[in-house]
Amino acid sequence: MSEVADTTTEPADDRVSNATPAEGDIPDATPEGSGLESEPTEDAETFPRNYVEKLRQENGRYRQRASEADSLANRLHTELVRATGKLADPTDLPFNADHLADAGTMSAAIDALLEAKPHLAARRITGDIGQGAQGNTGTVSLIDILRGTTG
């Protein structure tokens, strides 16, 4: 048996790949003469720095207002649900902007929630539970209590 040594294989560290990058691969550096430059061309639109900063500040104010509006809308939704008196905890109904525009939609959503989860309904205690203000029982006298008569 004769052994043939493979002399064409080189270690991976010494190889240099001249292959073109596959689709989706990003080359490490821009090849020379490719027409791509790192400097902006004269045709590119640029705006003065102070104008861009002004636009960014204005955009920041709008984002803050939008955040505040979202917060206020959530609070309004919670209070409208609380005003119905149907739920023990008004935050049990998730926020939906449609509920703010149409009271019928909110009422239907609350009814659907209560049908699915009746334990979320508000409970009202009615009747005499033995506490609080009661009708006038007359005068109380220690002597009458000792004699066993009330009057």
Side-chain angles (χ1 to χ4, degrees):
M1 286 201 214
S2 65
E3 292 184 24
V4 178
D6 186 10
T7 58
T8 59
T9 306
E10 296 178 10
D13 296 337
D14 296 288
R15 280 190 234 157
V16 176
S17 174
N18 290 331
T20 59
E23 185 176 332
D25 289 347
I26 299 173
D28 292 339
T30 304
E32 292 183 36
S34 66
L36 299 176
E37 298 174 2
S38 60
E39 296 295 321
T41 61
E42 293 178 16
D43 297 337
E45 287 188 40
T46 58
F47 298 100
R49 181 180 182 92
N50 60 354
Y51 179 73
V52 173
E53 289 175 355
K54 178 183 170 188
L55 288 176
R56 287 182 179 168
Q57 289 175 356
E58 183 179 353
N59 189 12
R61 285 193 303 270
Y62 288 138
R63 282 193 308 257
Q64 287 176 342
R65 286 184 190 168
S67 174
E68 290 172 6
D70 290 342
S71 173
L72 292 174
N74 283 325
R75 287 178 51 196
L76 176 62
H77 182 267
T78 301
E79 293 306 317
L80 289 174
V81 172
R82 185 185 321 267
T84 64
K86 294 180 180 180
L87 294 175
D89 184 10
T91 59
D92 288 336
L93 183 67
F95 175 77
N96 186 346
D98 295 337
H99 297 166
L100 299 177
D102 185 20
T105 305
M106 181 188 307
S107 181
I110 292 172
D111 292 340
L113 179 65
L114 289 176
E115 186 176 318
K117 299 179 180 181
H119 62 279
L120 298 177
R123 294 176 184 87
R124 292 181 188 91
I125 299 173
T126 57
D128 185 18
I129 60 172
Q131 291 184 338
Q134 297 179 358
N136 189 4
T137 59
T139 59
V140 178
S141 167
L142 184 57
I143 302 269
D144 290 337
I145 294 174
L146 291 175
R147 287 185 192 157
T149 61
T150 57

